[in-house]
Every structure is written in C-alpha cells, then in structure tokens.
Amino acid sequence: LSNDVSTASPIKLLCLFLLLTALVIKPFIRALNRKTYSACFWVMAIGATFVLYEVTLYPLLATMIYTRTSYPYLVVIAHCMASANSYRSLRKKEIHYLTSFSLAFFCNGFGGSIVSDFLMGLPVTAFGHPRIIPCYILGWGVINFSPFDFVYISMQNKSSFLHWFVMACEAVDTVTTPMGRISRSARELKNKVTAPLMAGLFAGAGGAGIRYGEQIVLQGNQESHQTFFVALEAAVWRTIGYSMLWWWLAVYKCEHDVIRTEINHCGTFNGSDLIRVIFICFHVSWTMLCATGIADSHPFVWISKKFREVIGAHIVNIFRLGPRPVEEKIEKKE
C-alpha cells in the first residue's frame, strides 16, 4: 500500500481531481442542496470513490498505517487546519492574528503532545519534527488568508465536504496521538506500566486541559465553564479507554512475551497495523455519528457516565471524603 497517488495513471488522477472538485463546490450549487439531488450526488460520489479505489481508498488506508512511524501530511495539515479553524471560530475577530497563530498552536493544535513530552522528559516532537511547523503554517494560513475566505467559510458549512473530511482527519489525529505517545514512552523509558499510560493520557487530554485553562482561568469566560469542563471530562475518559486498550495490546503483551511477532512490531511497541486501523475506524465512525446527532457521546464516555450514575453514587455515600456540608446536616435535622 502507498499513499503516493502521483504514480497512478493520468486518467485516474484526472477523475480524482474532478471528484474532489465536485465535492468542494457542491455546497455552493443550490440545485445539489435539495434532498433528492443531494442524495443522488452522494451515491454517485461514493460509487466513484470505490471505482477509483487505487487513488482514494488505498491511500487513505496507507495513511492510517503510516501513523505508526510518521506524521502523514494528510493528517497533519488537516489537524492544523482544524486547530486554526476552532480557535478562530471561538474568538471570532477579538484577537490579533499573531496571537491567534500562537494560541491556536498550543491550545487547539499540539498542546497535549507538548505537555506529554515535557512531563515524560522527552524531546518535544511538536518543535523538533521537520513536518509539523511547516504544516501548521500552511494550515493556519489557508484558514485565515484564503481568497474570499473560502476555506474558513467552507469549514463552517456543515454541508461542505471539506468540513467533514477535515473532521475525519482530525479524528485520526485524536486517536493516534495517545497511541504514539504510549509506544514512544515504552521504547524510551524503563517504566513500561504507568509511564506509557500517563503519557497517553497527557497527550489525549492535555489539549482539552489547556483550552479549559486558557478560556476559563486566563480569559475569565465563566459562562462557558460547563462547555469546556464537559469537553475536558470527555477527553479524559475517552483517552483512558483508548490508552488502556492500546497499552495492553501493544506494550503489555509484548513485554510479557504473550506475543512476539513482526506483525505486532514488538521491537518498537507500535502494535499491530490491523488493530491500529480498527482503532482509527472506530473512533472516526463515532466522531461522525456524534457530529450528525445520531449518537449522543463516545462509548467510553457513555460507560463512564453510567458507571458514575449506578455505582459512583453508592461509593461516594460510603467513602465520602471529609465532613458533610452544613446544608446537608441542616436538612437531615429537619
């Protein structure tokens, strides 16, 4: 498999170009926004995607696998675009573009991986990898300085292909970042139990923590406290779920001689390519389901919520930390 489409035949490249062009301009053609025409359009687009599998499906599958050892341009650039778009959408025109460039990088882009690398005592990949800074400049630039603001407007339009494609690529980055930090920590640190798990947790939820601090603590945006806190809590539980599974499959099993084959890449603790693709497809699917309103939340978040509702209340009543509040004592006397 390869994600290099330049080796494909000129006819297939031309068909790919026409397909992408049609997908990008569709939201701006009124006739195609009607339900009947829109449904027909998407059926034809999906059919064309399968027909052109050598320049569509194969490169996408190869990109998922390549996240094991590299930062694919497709994922990194889309992640940078999503970061710049999220911060611009949040702050609108209230902030200078140079400040936006810096804060979007840390708060929405690579804050989690920076926190993870720093606390684990490892070189910060966000600054050291040759692809990240150039890709961020490109992604941030097209969001803020595209002609007629075309890219930003398309990203805000939920009927736009660009909106959903970038969201899917962002979901790939969301799930693979903790996986990568777990594998890297297992390779470079002697502690292969708690260190990889904490590295994955910091990488997956660190960004949400930074966003909470920037908005609530620094900006004093108390009105959005609940929104950012819920996002932080969801990031923590989602990351714990993925980190525990990936650590068990990629680190624990290899470390305890349960499996030692080339397929599982035990030498680098990078895990099986098949498991990696399953993790990515699972997370991308649930991200899309939640975005469309079909699902309410991620399964890991839902499980944690149900656990707190069913068992958590009883645990708190039995093992409550500290004295009960004065209000509760008064209510009991009454």
Side-chain angles (χ1 to χ4, degrees):
L1 290 175
S2 173
N3 60 357
D4 183 8
V5 298
S6 62
T7 56
S9 65
I11 294 179
K12 288 186 178 180
L13 291 176
L14 176 61
C15 291
L16 177 63
F17 173 77
L18 293 175
L19 175 62
L20 293 176
T21 302
L23 290 170
V24 170
I25 66 174
K26 176 195 173 290
F28 303 96
I29 301 175
R30 290 184 179 180
L32 292 178
N33 290 326
R34 297 175 184 173
K35 288 185 178 180
T36 305
Y37 293 120
S38 180
C40 293
F41 174 86
W42 284 113
V43 169
M44 293 174 64
I46 293 171
T49 301
F50 280 96
V51 171
L52 300 171
Y53 62 91
E54 291 182 0
V55 291
T56 55
L57 300 179
Y58 282 5
L60 291 176
L61 181 59
T63 297
M64 294 182 197
I65 296 173
Y66 288 171
T67 58
R68 171 169 53 86
T69 56
S70 66
Y71 290 86
Y73 283 113
L74 186 65
V75 176
V76 179
I77 294 174
H79 172 61
C80 294
M81 290 174 63
S83 303
N85 176 73
S86 297
Y87 197 81
R88 181 179 170 182
S89 301
L90 179 66
R91 299 299 296 273
K92 305 298 181 184
K93 296 182 179 179
E94 299 174 3
I95 193 167
H96 194 271
Y97 67 91
L98 289 179
T99 310
S100 167
F101 180 85
S102 302
L103 292 181
F105 183 87
F106 286 101
C107 297
N108 298 79
F110 301 92
S113 62
I114 292 172
V115 169
S116 178
D117 290 342
F118 178 77
L119 293 180
M120 290 295 105
L122 301 173
V124 179
T125 308
F127 298 134
H129 198 279
R131 288 188 178 182
I132 291 179
I133 297 298
C135 287
Y136 179 74
I137 294 172
L138 175 62
W140 180 85
V142 297
I143 290 294
N144 290 281
F145 299 106
S146 61
F148 307 106
D149 217 10
F150 174 80
V151 177
Y152 179 71
I153 293 172
S154 297
M155 290 287 291
Q156 299 302 305
N157 188 348
K158 291 188 177 181
S159 65
S160 168
F161 167 74
L162 185 62
H163 172 89
W164 294 102
F165 183 76
V166 171
M167 181 187 293
C169 292
E170 173 72 348
V172 175
D173 179 83
T174 300
V175 69
T176 55
T177 296
M179 291 160 60
R181 288 302 177 278
I182 289 170
S183 299
R184 183 188 183 192
S185 179
R187 285 195 303 271
E188 301 191 23
L189 301 177
K190 291 183 178 179
N191 178 359
K192 291 179 172 49
V193 181
T194 56
L197 290 171
M198 293 306 297
L201 179 60
F202 289 139
I210 291 175
R211 287 190 292 276
Y212 178 86
E214 191 265 342
Q215 283 294 311
I216 309 305
V217 180
L218 297 181
Q219 300 296 331
N221 186 9
Q222 296 299 325
E223 295 178 357
S224 302
H225 172 271
Q226 187 65 19
T227 301
F228 283 95
F229 186 80
V230 169
L232 172 59
E233 187 178 30
V236 169
W237 287 114
R238 185 179 61 239
T239 305
I240 287 175
Y242 284 125
S243 296
M244 290 292 293
L245 285 173
W246 187 251
W247 170 81
W248 179 64
L249 292 168
V251 179
Y252 179 84
K253 283 194 170 185
C254 288
E255 186 68 9
H256 289 76
D257 295 321
V258 178
I259 50 172
R260 279 200 177 275
T261 63
E262 290 297 322
I263 296 176
N264 293 283
H265 306 287
C266 286
T268 54
F269 298 104
N270 277 326
S272 164
D273 290 339
L274 176 61
I275 299 298
R276 177 176 295 272
V277 171
I278 291 173
F279 269 49
I280 292 173
C281 291
F282 177 80
H283 184 66
V284 170
S285 299
W286 274 101
T287 299
M288 295 299 185
L289 290 173
C290 292
T292 55
I294 298 174
D296 292 331
S297 62
H298 191 280
F300 292 145
V301 179
W302 182 85
I303 290 171
S304 69
K305 182 180 178 181
K306 291 301 177 182
F307 177 82
R308 294 196 305 274
E309 289 177 355
V310 177
I311 302 176
H314 298 292
I315 294 176
V316 170
N317 288 332
I318 298 172
F319 302 102
R320 180 148 189 166
L321 299 178
R324 294 182 179 276
V326 177
E327 294 82 359
E328 288 190 14
K329 290 180 179 177
I330 294 171
E331 287 177 3
K332 262 194 168 183
K333 288 179 181 178
E334 292 177 352

